[in-house]
Amino acid sequence: MPLKLYGVLRSRATRPVWTAMELGLDFEHVPVIQAYRLKDPAAPDAPLNTASPAFRAVNANGLIPAMDDDGFVLHESFAIGLYLARKHGGPLAPRDAKEEGLAVMWALWGMGLEADALAIVQKREPEAAAARLRAPFAVLDAALAEGGGHLLGGRFTVADINLAEVLRYAQPATALFEKRPHIQAWITACQARPAFQAMMRKREAEPA
Ligand SMILES: N[C@@H](CCC(=O)N[C@@H](CS)C(=O)NCC(=O)O)C(=O)O
């Protein structure tokens, strides 16, 4: 199969896998697991993991997700989703340079929130992290109100996938969302999509 997406779904691999499922792509999912989740990642019977030489040959950074599209290799979850949308087109993809600029802008902006969102889901001083997210949440809420419930083009795109998958980590901080009705409605709609639900079912089926 030409397209391979590497990375268990208890990782940022959810982003490109959800994107590929939205696009209806035929792809091979290679469930490379994080080395730190294994007792002995170098054991002969260890599953393919982020320290395995075979995976390091795909992504020398030793991080998931990674992609191999018929020999074209990418790492970085947001870059992979943006590439897949751009390659396969349709409503999920940016339609012109302005939409492309917005999709990249929101991905980079989302990356800036990721550490705090992760702190919330991983319960590492979550109150402080939620407090830091209050100001950017106000910005996003206003942008969604102005954009008719989406980040660009008044429709669901890869930009929504990328950012919704950052904000999912912050969802245990329910008050953050309750105060921002446009974010709440947007993430609820994103997570109601059949492709998101199918991806999450696949994720739940993976070993914890
Ligand atoms: N900026 C990268 C971050 C990738 C990353 O940190 N991946 C984690 C899992 S979500 C990982 O592979 N960790 C493996 C390890 O540290 O051994 C992206 O968005 O793809």
Side-chain angles (χ1 to χ4, degrees):
M1 192 175 302
L3 175 64
K4 282 187 185 172
L5 293 174
Y6 296 87
V8 291
L9 292 172
R10 293 179 192 278
S11 80
R12 294 165 175 91
T14 55
R15 300 162 186 175
V17 168
W18 178 10
T19 305
M21 290 169 100
E22 287 281 353
L23 289 163
L25 303 181
D26 200 13
F27 66 96
E28 182 185 347
H29 179 221
V30 186
V32 178
I33 191 168
Q34 295 93 333
Y36 65 76
R37 290 174 59 191
L38 300 174
K39 216 166 165 181
D40 181 3
D45 61 347
L48 188 63
N49 65 77
T50 51
S52 303
F55 177 65
R56 292 281 169 133
V58 178
N59 183 5
N61 296 292
L63 295 172
I64 48 174
M67 177 206 82
D68 183 337
D69 186 18
D70 212 8
F72 177 61
V73 176
L74 282 180
H75 56 83
E76 292 304 318
S77 55
F78 293 139
I80 298 169
L82 291 166
Y83 162 80
L84 290 175
R86 172 82 167 74
K87 176 172 174 180
H88 296 280
L92 207 69
R95 285 198 174 128
D96 54 26
K98 286 182 182 163
E99 287 197 0
E100 190 123 33
L102 285 166
V104 172
M105 180 190 83
W106 284 115
L108 295 175
W109 187 83
M111 214 165 193
L113 309 187
E114 205 172 47
D116 284 325
L118 276 170
I120 291 172
V121 75
Q122 293 169 353
K123 301 188 177 77
R124 291 181 282 105
E125 300 185 20
E127 291 83 11
R132 285 190 293 272
L133 288 178
R134 266 186 226 128
F137 264 53
V139 171
L140 176 61
D141 201 61
L144 289 168
E146 198 180 320
H150 293 294
L151 293 175
L152 60 95
R155 65 185 194 282
F156 179 79
T157 68
V158 64
D160 297 297
I161 295 178
N162 283 339
L163 193 57
E165 275 301 274
V166 174
L167 263 56
R168 179 164 60 83
Y169 301 146
Q171 278 180 297
T174 49
L176 260 182
F177 289 81
E178 281 158 12
K179 287 192 188 113
R180 299 295 172 198
H182 300 285
I183 297 181
Q184 183 73 278
W186 164 78
I187 202 158
T188 300
C190 288
Q191 294 179 348
R193 294 185 67 87
F196 173 83
Q197 304 221 335
M199 181 278 292
M200 287 302 272
R201 278 195 299 275
K202 222 167 131 57
R203 182 180 180 278
E204 292 309 317
E206 288 182 350

